[in-house]
Amino acid sequence: MSDTSSQHPPDSPHGEPNRPRSTVHGREAGNPPATGSAGTPAARRWPTRPEREADAAAVHALHAAAFPTEDEARLVDALRRDPGAWLPGLSYVAEAPDRSVAAHALLTRCRVGEAPALALAPVATDPARQGRGAGTAVIRAVLEAARARGERLVVVLGHPDYYPRFGFVRASAYGIRTSFEVPDEALMALVLDGSDEAPGGTICYPDAFGV
């Protein structure tokens, strides 16, 4: 178990955790918070869309570049092969002006107690494009896609100063926990329908996460 959240500023993710037992964080240095909502400069600069089959290699390369090892890239590949975890339409990319993949955010099926939920991980931004709002834009887009599908709950293990801008709060407020030790402030949850209630219990991640 490692926690390096205090070592990096929370501006925007260079790369987010390769697996839930880690709270390793990256950064986009010097980036003021960008909302990424439709019509904002961030959203106009970084158009977002669901991943296509032809994007798999580019998404792998993005995560390999954004993280110190290829573990996160391999994690995405493994989740893509798991029909119980992979949800078509909930793997999103942000495009650069040259149409290359600038950022990626993935939601896969997990469970909280007996209730279906989504896990946000991993998230990565091309290191050459850090600090420009691509990560924010793609996270907002995939969360909105989940909301439109009628999904209710998303959990994330990440930087406590970054994810609240998307509406995440401490998961412990809902009685949500992991089966392994993590800092309370790093485990967060978002109720997509805006209600004050969410199912509580232990998060059961897809097997590819290794926890």
Side-chain angles (χ1 to χ4, degrees):
M1 188 76 61
S2 63
D3 178 18
T4 60
S5 60
S6 63
Q7 299 175 13
H8 302 288
D11 303 296
S12 189
H14 171 96
E16 277 297 328
N18 63 321
R19 58 194 71 243
R21 66 169 173 266
S22 172
T23 52
V24 177
H25 307 288
R27 55 182 174 145
E28 286 189 26
N31 184 40
T35 65
S37 300
T40 66
R44 291 193 297 269
R45 183 182 303 165
W46 307 108
T48 59
R49 59 170 175 79
E51 172 190 310
R52 300 171 185 146
E53 185 175 350
D55 295 320
V59 169
H60 183 104
L62 174 72
H63 285 278
F67 289 94
T69 72
E70 287 196 39
D71 286 351
E72 286 81 6
R74 296 188 187 105
L75 172 61
V76 175
D77 294 341
L79 289 167
R80 197 181 283 114
R81 295 190 297 267
D82 182 353
W86 190 262
L87 298 170
L90 291 185
S91 175
Y92 256 67
V93 300
E95 290 186 334
D98 63 2
R99 306 300 295 273
S100 63
V101 175
H104 175 249
L106 177 62
L107 291 170
T108 51
R109 176 66 69 209
C110 67
R111 301 193 73 81
V112 173
E114 298 299 317
L118 299 172
L120 175 59
V123 176
T125 301
D126 179 356
R129 297 182 169 103
Q130 295 172 32
R132 305 178 190 177
T136 296
V138 78
I139 292 171
R140 287 199 183 279
V142 77
L143 291 175
E144 184 55 38
R147 185 178 288 109
R149 289 167 59 110
E151 296 287 346
R152 185 152 183 268
L153 179 64
V154 181
V155 293
V156 67
L157 183 58
H159 204 297
D161 292 332
Y162 180 71
Y163 285 98
R165 73 184 64 180
F166 304 103
F168 284 93
V169 300
R170 291 193 186 201
S172 58
Y174 298 114
I176 298 170
R177 56 192 176 272
T178 59
S179 59
F180 46 91
E181 186 177 352
V182 297
D184 182 65
E185 67 273 13
L187 182 64
M188 290 164 277
L190 170 63
V191 182
L192 291 169
D193 64 8
S195 70
D196 294 328
E197 298 182 356
T202 301
I203 304 170
C204 180
Y205 289 96
D207 291 342
F209 284 101
V211 294

